[in-house]
């Protein structure tokens, strides 16, 4: 199996959905690139894999290359293409017709892949050839090893991008209630979005009153370093259609450090056990207090989460599915 993978080495989505899976999957050869030309396809690839859409290549051009070189096109999505109006990229998506572009790529794909059933149902409206490949982690390997630093105080942790401003607002009042010693760790800070991050940091750290440590954005191959300074992950999420199409990756990440995860009881975390689910604002404080003061409970919830995720979302097991899906696609090819 010869694979051409198209993604940027700076892309978090590309890292989890293309780079890391394909590097670890059985194959004869794989080229991962973000630069395409006619010559790129002369490597006689069986499969071309890409995320969502391409900025400098049209679907029509890809169709021509596919006809000439005989590969199968796999288009992967890990998010919905219709953003919530409150999303900071909403206007940009509308002005640049991003949803329409993503749909056009779905429509020409030989196979669409995605992270879960809810997103698969949305893709099915545009292409009936859909397979689910959940996000997964190579637990105990690469940057997903158990290598936490010691801390005198229990650390409440959050990591993400500046698109999560509304989600962190959920924690503003619960964090104000904390009247016992903790540290707060927030990771992913981007100086170019200072005005956004100032509000997010304020909400998460109760105006810097909860012994904060702030980690800058790290390259995708190093971003888990911040998790070494963590004990409990807080994962708030506004209940909306767009958010329900996200994956459970934040829980999978925290599981690699055997930390418990306190999550909003909404998709993609609904029914995800043994996470600690929040149904009302008071539940945030309840879980934070319990897991901070009860070391045994903290360890048990963390170990249970690790065992669950390692069993159900282990990259090597999911890659067996990926290999089988890709092999079937090639076997069904007609040249």
């Amino acid at each position: 199996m010869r694979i051409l993978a198209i993604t940027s080495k700076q892309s978090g989505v590309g890292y989890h959905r293309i780079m890391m899976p394909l590097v670890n999957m059985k194959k004869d050869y794989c080229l991962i690139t973000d630069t395409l030309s006619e010559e790129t396809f002369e490597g006689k690839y069986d499969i071309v894999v890409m995320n969502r859409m391409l900025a400098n290549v049209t679907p029509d051009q890809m169709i021509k290359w596919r006809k000439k070189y005989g590969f199968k096109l796999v288009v992967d999505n890990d998010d919905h293409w219709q953003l919530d109006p409150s999303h900071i990229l909403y206007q940009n998506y509308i002005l640049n017709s991003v949803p329409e572009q993503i749909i056009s790529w779905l429509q020409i794909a030989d196979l669409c892949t995605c992270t879960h059933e809810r997103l698969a149902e949305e893709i099915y409206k545009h292409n009936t050839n859909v397979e689910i490949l959940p996000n997964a982690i190579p637990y105990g390997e690469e940057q997903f090893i158990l290598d936490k630093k010691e801390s005198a105080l229990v650390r409440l942790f959050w990591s993400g991008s500046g698109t999560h401003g509304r989600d962190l607002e959920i924690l503003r009042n619960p964090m104000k209630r904390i009247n016992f010693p903790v540290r707060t760790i927030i990771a992913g800070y981007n100086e170019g979005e200072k005005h956004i991050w100032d509000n997010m940091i304020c909400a998460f750290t109760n105006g810097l009153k909860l012994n904060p440590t702030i980690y800058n954005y790290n390259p995708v191959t190093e971003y888990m370093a911040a998790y070494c300074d963590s004990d409990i992950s807080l994962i708030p999420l506004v209940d909306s259609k767009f958010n329900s199409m996200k994956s459970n990756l934040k829980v999978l990440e925290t599981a690699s450090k055997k930390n418990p995860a306190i999550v909003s009881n909404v998709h993609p975390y609904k029914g995800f056990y043994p996470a600690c689910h929040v149904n009302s604002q008071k539940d945030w404080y309840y879980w934070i207090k319990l897991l901070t003061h009860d070391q045994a409970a903290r360890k048990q919830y963390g170990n249970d989460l690790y065992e669950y995720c390692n069993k159900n979302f282990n990259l090597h097991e999911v890659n067996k599915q990926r290999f089988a899906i890709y092999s079937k696609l090639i076997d069904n090819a007609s040249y």
Side-chain angles (χ1 to χ4, degrees):
M1 184 185 301
R2 294 177 61 83
I3 302 172
L4 172 63
I6 309 166
T7 190
S8 166
K9 64 181 180 180
Q10 283 84 35
S11 167
V13 174
Y15 173 73
H16 278 284
R17 299 298 297 167
I18 291 183
M19 288 184 280
M20 187 168 62
L22 293 183
V23 166
N24 285 279
M25 191 189 80
K26 181 172 67 172
K27 72 275 181 189
D28 297 312
Y29 176 77
C30 180
L31 172 65
I32 301 176
T33 184
D34 60 359
T35 305
L36 289 183
S37 66
E38 179 84 18
E39 290 73 25
T40 309
F41 294 91
E42 293 175 357
K44 296 182 179 179
Y45 297 102
D46 301 300
I47 291 176
V48 173
V49 185
M50 56 172 280
N51 285 128
R52 294 165 65 87
M53 57 177 284
L54 301 178
N56 300 315
V57 176
T58 66
D60 286 343
Q61 178 61 67
M62 186 63 77
I63 290 172
K64 292 176 183 177
W65 283 333
R66 177 171 58 186
K67 183 176 181 180
K68 182 175 181 180
Y69 294 101
F71 56 81
K72 290 293 187 178
L73 179 64
V74 178
V75 177
D76 182 78
N77 272 260
D78 79 324
D79 257 337
H80 202 272
W81 41 93
Q82 297 286 355
L83 301 186
D84 295 328
S86 59
H87 197 287
I88 63 173
L89 296 177
Y90 178 77
Q91 290 299 329
N92 175 272
Y93 264 50
I94 298 301
L95 290 174
N96 293 287
S97 302
V98 173
E100 290 78 10
Q101 291 186 63
I102 292 173
I103 289 171
S104 69
W105 283 100
L106 293 176
Q107 291 171 334
I108 71 160
D110 295 297
L111 174 68
C112 298
T113 55
C114 65
T115 46
H116 50 68
E117 294 83 356
R118 298 179 306 282
L119 188 52
E121 290 175 1
E122 294 292 308
I123 292 172
Y124 190 86
K125 299 172 184 177
H126 305 286
N127 190 325
T128 57
N129 297 315
V130 189
E131 294 281 0
I132 296 168
L133 289 170
N135 273 332
I137 299 290
Y139 288 103
E141 302 173 36
E142 301 177 20
Q143 59 178 320
F144 304 98
I145 59 176
L146 187 61
D147 57 351
K148 294 200 301 184
K149 299 185 292 189
E150 295 294 325
S151 174
L153 295 177
V154 172
R155 295 158 292 192
L156 307 179
F157 181 86
W158 183 88
S159 175
S161 72
T163 62
H164 289 278
R166 290 186 68 230
D167 300 323
L168 280 181
E169 280 299 316
I170 293 172
L171 295 178
R172 187 178 292 275
N173 287 329
M175 300 306 273
K176 288 179 180 178
R177 293 188 62 191
I178 296 177
N179 56 0
F180 43 86
V182 294
R183 289 178 59 204
T184 48
I185 314 294
I186 187 166
Y189 179 79
N190 182 349
E191 180 67 32
E193 300 174 335
K194 185 178 185 302
H195 62 294
I196 296 172
W197 276 91
D198 283 350
N199 286 330
M200 291 167 58
I201 291 168
C202 181
F204 189 70
T205 69
N206 188 19
L208 305 180
K209 295 182 179 71
L210 298 176
N211 302 308
T213 298
I214 301 165
Y215 285 94
N216 289 329
Y217 169 83
N218 254 346
V220 294
T221 54
E222 302 171 18
Y223 80 100
M224 287 296 296
Y227 277 85
C228 299
D229 200 8
S230 67
D231 293 300
I232 302 166
S233 282
L234 309 186
I235 309 177
L237 193 65
V238 171
D239 191 7
S240 70
K241 180 177 179 177
F242 174 73
N243 283 344
S244 73
M245 299 298 162
K246 291 179 176 291
S247 83
N248 52 21
L249 183 59
K250 287 185 184 295
V251 175
L252 306 185
E253 291 168 348
T254 201
S256 72
K257 306 303 179 184
K258 296 189 176 179
N259 292 340
I262 307 175
V263 304
S264 295
N265 192 18
V266 301
H267 285 307
Y269 310 123
K270 187 180 289 290
F272 192 105
Y273 297 101
C276 306
H277 290 87
V278 169
N279 294 297
S280 64
Q281 283 294 85
K282 68 178 184 296
D283 291 345
W284 290 104
Y285 180 77
Y286 167 82
W287 282 115
I288 291 170
K289 184 177 181 180
L290 185 153
L291 294 173
T292 297
H293 291 301
D294 191 334
Q295 182 179 8
R298 188 166 69 246
K299 183 176 180 179
Q300 186 67 55
Y301 275 100
N303 286 340
D304 288 350
L305 187 65
Y306 172 83
E307 295 298 331
Y308 179 86
C309 292
N310 190 34
K311 178 181 178 181
N312 295 285
F313 299 94
N314 184 288
L315 179 65
H316 299 298
E317 293 302 314
V318 172
N319 261 352
K320 293 177 183 177
Q321 302 173 36
R322 182 174 274 105
F323 181 80
I325 289 168
Y326 287 179
S327 297
K328 180 180 178 182
L329 183 63
I330 296 171
D331 291 343
N332 291 339
S334 57
Y335 298 104

